Amino acid sequence: MANALAWFSQSGVVQGLILGAVLAFLTAILIMNAVGRAITTTVNGWSAIRKCGQPGNGVLVRAACAKALPVVNVFEEAAYWTATVDGSGQTLSGAHGYVLHFPPGKLPPNDAFWSLTPTDTVGYMVGNPTNRHSVGDRSPLAENADGSVDVYLQHEAPGGHEQNWLPIPSGKFKLMFRVYLPAAAILDGTYQLPRIVRAH
C-alpha cells in the first residue's frame, strides 16, 4: 500500500489533478464574470442585474447571480444597484466628495423603503465617527427650497449639510442602493437613479 501511494504521489497524477482543478476553477470564474457582465444593466454609473432569482434561469445565470449578489431577492421584491464609479466614470474614492441629487419628487418610488449604503471595495461596511452607515426614506433628510434632496457623500463632514451627510471610507469604496417593493417606474426602467457627481 505504501509503495502504491509513493508511486501515485510521484507519478504526476496528483499534480495533474491539482492543476486540472485549478484550471477548472479559474475557467468557471471567467465564465461567471462574462455571464454577469452580459446580464448587467448600467445607467448613470449604477449597475443592476434584473434577472437574478427568476424562475427558469439557467445554471450559468444562477451561478453569476450567486457570485455577484448572494442570497438576492427577485428584482420585483428588492431592486439592488451598485456603483464603483462616479457620473464621469472615475473610480469612487474618499479623497473626493460627492453629491447625489434627487430632483423634486424623484426619490425612489416604492411600497416599502429604500436605503443607500457605502462599503469598502469588497463589500464590508467601514466604521466612522457618526456610526451612520446608510441613509434612506426613514432618515430625516433635509429638502432644498425647491423640494429636491441632496445626499452628501464625503469622508469628512460637509459644513452646513451634516443632516444629509453619509460618511464614506477614506479610500476606494462602492455604493449599494436598495429599493424594497419597487414601484412600477423602477420595474419598467422609467425611473433612473441620478448620477453621482463629484463635488468641486
Side-chain angles (χ1 to χ4, degrees):
M1 183 67 173
N3 290 337
L5 289 174
W7 174 86
F8 187 74
S9 65
Q10 296 174 8
S11 68
V13 174
V14 172
Q15 292 88 340
L17 290 172
I18 292 172
L19 180 60
V22 170
L23 290 175
F25 174 78
L26 294 176
T27 300
I29 294 295
L30 291 174
I31 291 172
M32 284 188 289
N33 287 344
V35 172
R37 285 191 299 272
I39 61 176
T40 297
T41 301
T42 302
V43 178
N44 291 339
W46 294 97
S47 297
I49 302 177
R50 293 171 173 261
K51 292 178 63 70
C52 290
Q54 293 182 353
N57 282 345
V59 64
L60 291 178
V61 171
R62 294 199 304 271
C65 287
K67 181 177 182 295
L69 293 168
V71 199
V72 70
N73 294 315
V74 293
F75 201 79
E76 290 76 10
E77 292 181 359
Y80 298 160
W81 292 268
T82 58
T84 57
V85 296
D86 63 21
S88 63
Q90 300 298 308
T91 301
L92 294 174
S93 169
H96 309 288
Y98 304 90
V99 177
L100 196 58
H101 176 77
F102 295 92
K106 291 299 184 179
L107 289 171
N110 66 87
D111 292 321
F113 64 96
W114 65 266
S115 68
L116 171 63
T117 306
T119 68
D120 64 16
T121 54
V122 178
Y124 294 106
M125 287 189 287
V126 177
N128 65 72
T130 67
N131 285 323
R132 179 185 292 180
H133 298 286
S134 68
V135 295
D137 62 321
R138 298 172 190 183
S139 303
L141 298 174
E143 293 185 353
N144 299 317
D146 63 356
S148 63
V149 174
D150 291 321
V151 176
Y152 295 85
L153 304 158
Q154 296 183 197
H155 183 62
E156 302 292 340
H161 300 291
E162 288 83 358
Q163 188 171 343
N164 289 22
W165 174 37
L166 180 57
I168 57 176
S170 59
K172 293 180 181 179
F173 68 97
K174 69 178 179 179
L175 294 170
M176 177 165 281
F177 211 115
R178 301 175 178 91
V179 179
Y180 292 89
L181 297 182
I186 290 178
L187 298 180
D188 66 18
T190 304
Y191 179 84
Q192 298 176 354
L193 290 176
R195 294 179 181 274
I196 303 160
V197 178
R198 184 185 294 189
H200 298 291

